[in-house]
Amino acid sequence: QVQLVESGGGLVQAGGSLRLACAASGTIFSLRAMGWYRQAPGKQREMVASITSGSIPNYANAVRGRFTISRDNAKNTVYLQMNSLKPEDTAVYYCNFRDYIYNWGQGTQVTVSS
């Protein structure tokens, strides 16, 4: 049974930083490309960053240069370091596999005040 648990969200001022973590279990994590997704109220869910099993990252244009995705295979965890946060980054952030999406978890709320 695959389980993905997000953590690290919170309320920050514009320009601030947060570090999200996603702990995975029930899968061979080291062999999977992972992604971070977000969904803001009234908007479609979108991928903001992904990382291959070999740690090659990719970013949505909206977050490129501000967010950094990384992974620690020994901890079965993928991270999203978010810097220079903007109010438009406010959303629920989810992790999942990049290529084959499993059931969405609860996500973690990120709120950026202006």
Side-chain angles (χ1 to χ4, degrees):
Q1 180 66 44
V2 174
Q3 187 74 25
L4 300 167
V5 180
E6 302 94 342
S7 63
L11 173 63
V12 297
Q13 186 83 355
S17 297
L18 285 171
R19 189 187 191 221
L20 308 184
C22 171
S25 62
T27 188
I28 305 176
F29 176 82
S30 63
L31 301 181
R32 300 293 192 100
M34 302 296 296
W36 280 99
Y37 307 79
R38 69 185 182 188
Q39 187 166 26
K43 297 182 180 178
Q44 298 289 117
R45 198 193 309 268
E46 62 177 343
M47 179 181 285
V48 298
S50 65
I51 186 166
T52 69
S53 61
S55 295
I56 300 173
N58 190 36
Y59 301 97
N61 289 338
V63 308
R64 186 174 289 109
R66 300 187 297 117
F67 292 9
T68 302
I69 188 171
S70 62
R71 66 192 298 157
D72 185 340
N73 289 340
K75 297 181 179 179
N76 286 184
T77 300
V78 60
Y79 303 94
L80 187 67
Q81 178 67 46
M82 306 186 295
N83 298 325
S84 301
L85 283 162
K86 304 174 180 180
E88 51 262 46
D89 295 319
T90 295
V92 178
Y93 284 71
Y94 304 87
C95 66
N96 216 309
F97 304 98
R98 185 194 66 185
D99 303 317
Y100 295 96
I101 300 297
Y102 288 83
N103 291 342
W104 298 101
Q106 293 298 312
T108 186
Q109 176 72 49
V110 172
T111 303
V112 185
S113 64
S114 59

